[in-house]
Amino acid sequence: RTDAAKSWIDPRTVLTPVYAEFKPRLDQEGASLELPETPPLLMCNRTRLYQLFSNLVGNALDHMGDVERPVIRVEVKSLQDAHQVTVSDNGKGIDPAHHDRIFEIFQSIGPRKDGRRGTGIGLAIVKKIVETHGGRVWVESEPNRGASFHLTLPLHGPSCAFFALPVGPSELRSPTPHCARSSRGEECWPCELCSPPAHCARFALAL
């Protein structure tokens, strides 16, 4: 269950191992990876978030081109109803004619920096993960002007009204607030409509 696996995650706890994964290659190519210092928490599946960052950083390195001082920058900012993640670089850029095609599976617009052709899978995986989480992904780029990949992750999942059952104040103080799943003896789903650490039971009081 995708929603059950989602939680509020500090992006730094995922970006740190991503940085470690790419450090040998960053050092070899003289590239730098700049990470956000105090990003907001993201509502996402941890494994999928790692795949997002890993694929986007790897894609930037693969298609950087010949740049004197390669720089990849990761940014996370809060929007009204979502968080936006941006992975940008100062590489060779992408022709606008290819902006949609690069997210299709098995599509690659050219050889990687090492001369080999990419698999065309990485960005398709990114798109699938983002859309599964209810967001969208797009790129802003022009030839010789770098590329910025943007994606959004909604703050909220399905409405808690769908899961919640009427509960009283005594049940609200329970360590595991009640919802549709807990009524069957299962662990409660965290509420993805209210801010953490609210749960379905709290929302149910307002129904």
Side-chain angles (χ1 to χ4, degrees):
R1 292 176 175 136
T2 301
D3 291 326
K6 290 163 62 177
S7 61
W8 290 99
I9 300 173
D10 183 342
R12 294 171 298 181
T13 64
V14 176
L15 285 167
T16 296
V18 169
Y19 180 86
E21 174 191 350
F22 286 102
K23 189 178 188 307
R25 188 173 171 190
L26 290 166
D27 293 343
Q28 179 182 357
E29 300 183 13
S32 61
L33 176 57
E34 300 179 358
L35 306 179
E37 294 184 359
T38 56
L41 300 182
L42 300 176
M43 172 57 70
C44 192
N45 175 284
R46 180 176 294 275
T47 299
R48 300 299 179 233
L49 187 60
Y50 186 98
Q51 291 177 313
L52 288 177
F53 285 131
S54 180
N55 276 298
L56 288 173
V57 171
N59 180 76
L61 281 171
D62 286 343
H63 300 283
M64 181 68 70
D66 295 324
V67 179
E68 185 176 353
R69 294 182 179 179
V71 178
I72 302 170
R73 180 178 294 108
V74 179
E75 301 172 279
V76 183
K77 66 179 182 180
S78 299
L79 305 179
Q80 182 175 357
D81 57 356
H83 288 117
Q84 180 173 310
V85 174
T86 299
V87 178
S88 58
D89 64 69
N90 62 340
K92 64 182 181 180
I94 306 168
D95 190 312
H98 302 306
H99 284 190
D100 292 330
R101 185 166 69 88
I102 60 175
F103 292 103
E104 298 175 8
I105 193 167
F106 303 133
Q107 295 295 319
S108 182
I109 60 174
R112 304 186 310 189
K113 190 174 181 179
D114 59 10
R116 295 182 297 173
R117 193 158 189 94
T119 61
I121 294 177
L123 293 179
I125 291 175
V126 168
K127 181 180 179 182
K128 179 65 174 179
I129 293 173
V130 172
E131 291 181 346
T132 298
H133 282 72
R136 67 186 188 97
V137 61
W138 71 99
V139 62
E140 295 179 342
S141 179
E142 294 180 13
N144 303 313
R145 299 190 65 178
S148 294
F149 285 83
H150 308 282
L151 64 90
T152 58
L153 295 173
L155 295 177
H156 316 307
S159 171
C160 291
F162 178 81
F163 300 112
L165 296 175
V167 295
S170 61
E171 293 171 305
L172 178 60
R173 291 193 295 269
S174 170
T176 305
H178 285 50
C179 66
R181 290 184 69 207
S182 61
S183 69
R184 299 196 304 269
E186 301 180 60
E187 182 182 359
C188 182
W189 264 340
C191 170
E192 295 169 6
L193 179 66
C194 313
S195 299
H199 287 74
C200 294
R202 297 186 183 180
F203 186 80
L205 295 177
L207 294 179

